[in-house]
């Protein structure tokens, strides 16, 4: 695929139920993007309201922007082009413009479709005097292609950007993304909900108190919480393996299986 990965909605392994603590954002995206795409005939009757052709998700790393982007594509049954910005900006003079055109043409053919651009500020940032001519031309070309989407009433292609640095984005780009959502660091109740989702299929030791864990983890992102749980499970697995080796072959011992429950402690 050209400078990107294409994913069919059926191959996306994330849905709304995998995302915790972001119910308000999900509800707004449902109303503004998912329903209009799924019931396009109904929504096209209005001359006054059109679904957005640009959506921005912004906030610190690891708090669920990519999860939301993928779940939205799945729920709206949209194809998902994950645009690799590094490849696009690395191309030789003129090549990147051709690639941008190819991506939009492909998205048009595959619609309904999302063009997802992670770290969108890295190539659509504020104009600076030191900008390379090729970069400036690529940006202009990208915006022209995007405007083509915006002016079309029937086209169902959405540019979805994610960034940790919204302040670096070109104002002209921000104007093309009327729907903007802040995905902030999770509060205590959100951390509890995230832990419940991450650990939903694990067998937990009775001593594990998720409420206490959520209380002890201010500043942790969803990604940090997942890492914490992963480390706890690796730690437990190591102990489990060691017990197996000591008991030499009594692997299916009932006691050992009981001991395989996950313990998460913040005391160390
Ligand atoms: P980056 O800015 O670094 O790209 P991001 O905001 O896109 O980060 P994600 O990639 O969506 O973050 O999240 C990383 C991982 O953290 C997810 O795969 C998931 O396991 C976990 N996670 C983050 N937020 C949530 C959440 N709200 N609910 C459930 N899991 C979450």
């Amino acid at each position: 695929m050209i400078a990107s990965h294409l994913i069919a909605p059926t191959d996306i392994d994330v849905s709304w139920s995998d995302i915790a603590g972001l119910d308000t954002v999900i509800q707004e995206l449902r109303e503004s993007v998912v329903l209009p795409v799924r019931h396009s005939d109904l929504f096209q009757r209005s001359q006054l309201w059109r679904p957005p052709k640009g959506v921005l998700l912004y906030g610190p790393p690891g708090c669920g922007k990519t999860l939301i982007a993928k779940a939205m594509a799945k729920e709206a049954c949209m194809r998902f082009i994950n645009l690799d910005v590094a490849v696009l900006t690395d191309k030789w003079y003129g090549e990147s413009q051709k690639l941008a055109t190819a991506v939009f043409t492909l998205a048009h053919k595959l619609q309904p479709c999302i063009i997802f651009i992670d770290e969108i500020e890295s190539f659509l940032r504020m104009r600076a005097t030191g900008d390379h001519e090729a970069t400036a031309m690529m940006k202009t070309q990208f915006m022209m292609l995007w405007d083509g989407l915006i002016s079309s009433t029937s086209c169902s292609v959405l540019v979805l950007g994610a960034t940790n640095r919204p302040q670096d984005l070109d104002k002209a780009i921000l104007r093309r993304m009327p729907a903007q959502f802040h995905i902030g660091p999770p509060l205590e109740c959100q951390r509890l909900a995230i832990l419940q989702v991450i650990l939903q299929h694990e067998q937990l030791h009775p001593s594990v108190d998720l409420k206490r864990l959520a209380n002890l983890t201010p500043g942790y992102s969803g990604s940090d919480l997942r890492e914490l749980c992963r480390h706890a499970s690796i730690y437990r697995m190591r102990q489990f393996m060691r017990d197996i080796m000591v008991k030499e072959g009594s692997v299916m011992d009932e006691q050992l299986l009981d001991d395989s429950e996950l313990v998460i402690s913040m005391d160390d």
Side-chain angles (χ1 to χ4, degrees):
M1 241 306 285
I2 30 168
S4 52
H5 307 283
L6 171 64
I7 315 175
T10 44
D11 291 335
I12 294 175
D13 53 2
V14 182
S15 59
W16 293 141
S17 60
D18 297 308
I19 305 173
L22 293 170
D23 298 351
T24 311
V25 174
I26 290 175
Q27 185 55 25
E28 287 188 35
L29 286 170
R30 243 191 201 132
E31 283 170 13
S32 59
V33 178
V34 176
L35 289 179
V37 171
R38 292 189 76 137
H39 304 280
S40 53
D41 47 336
L42 211 67
F43 284 85
Q44 267 170 20
R45 286 186 211 153
S46 170
Q47 297 295 314
L48 294 173
W49 189 86
R50 299 266 174 238
K53 298 290 172 69
V55 172
L56 180 67
L57 305 175
Y58 65 97
C63 291
K65 298 184 293 297
T66 309
L67 276 187
I68 290 179
K70 288 190 173 166
M72 188 162 77
K74 188 179 184 74
E75 303 286 340
C77 291
M78 297 173 90
R79 292 200 173 84
F80 189 82
I81 297 178
N82 195 347
L83 193 60
D84 186 340
V85 171
V87 177
L88 199 63
T89 48
D90 263 7
K91 289 284 159 193
W92 295 103
Y93 187 82
E95 274 298 296
S96 53
Q97 282 170 271
K98 282 190 206 149
L99 279 173
T101 307
V103 168
F104 276 83
T105 307
L106 183 71
H108 212 271
K109 281 197 180 133
L110 297 175
Q111 62 177 295
C113 183
I114 288 178
I115 302 174
F116 178 60
I117 314 173
D118 201 4
E119 297 180 19
I120 189 171
E121 84 292 347
S122 64
F123 93 117
L124 294 174
R125 63 179 171 272
M126 263 182 277
R127 275 163 256 221
T129 39
D131 270 358
H132 196 275
E133 191 191 348
T135 313
M137 284 174 73
M138 212 278 287
K139 263 163 68 175
T140 309
Q141 170 80 353
F142 195 93
M143 285 197 260
M144 275 170 56
L145 292 161
W146 200 345
D147 288 342
L149 290 185
I150 294 167
S151 60
S152 160
T153 51
S154 57
C155 171
S156 187
V157 176
L158 168 72
V159 177
L160 175 58
T163 181
N164 307 323
R165 302 186 55 82
Q167 69 277 17
D168 289 354
L169 269 168
D170 194 319
K171 295 273 181 297
I173 297 299
L174 286 171
R175 271 199 303 278
R176 285 166 174 82
M177 295 193 280
Q180 301 179 2
F181 298 92
H182 179 231
I183 315 295
L187 303 172
E188 186 173 333
C189 60
Q190 293 170 306
R191 292 196 296 277
L192 174 60
I194 292 172
L195 285 166
Q196 285 164 340
V197 164
I198 292 172
L199 295 167
Q200 61 186 321
H201 303 300
E202 301 294 329
Q203 195 184 346
L204 296 181
H205 190 277
S207 69
V208 176
D209 180 351
L210 294 186
K211 275 192 183 158
R212 182 154 181 271
L213 202 56
N215 176 262
L216 289 171
T217 47
Y220 277 55
S221 66
S223 171
D224 295 333
L225 292 173
R226 193 191 53 176
E227 273 307 285
L228 177 72
C229 296
R230 205 175 62 82
H231 277 289
S233 85
I234 291 172
Y235 178 74
R236 189 65 205 113
M237 271 306 151
R238 283 213 189 107
Q239 282 189 327
F240 188 47
M241 295 296 178
R242 199 190 51 215
D243 290 349
I244 290 172
M245 283 191 280
V246 169
K247 296 207 173 177
E248 288 179 343
S250 56
V251 183
M252 293 311 290
D253 185 294
E254 283 302 314
Q255 178 61 39
L256 284 180
L257 287 178
D258 283 352
D259 285 353
S260 72
E261 289 167 330
L262 188 59
V263 183
I264 305 174
S265 163
M266 296 291 287
D267 298 337
D268 293 347

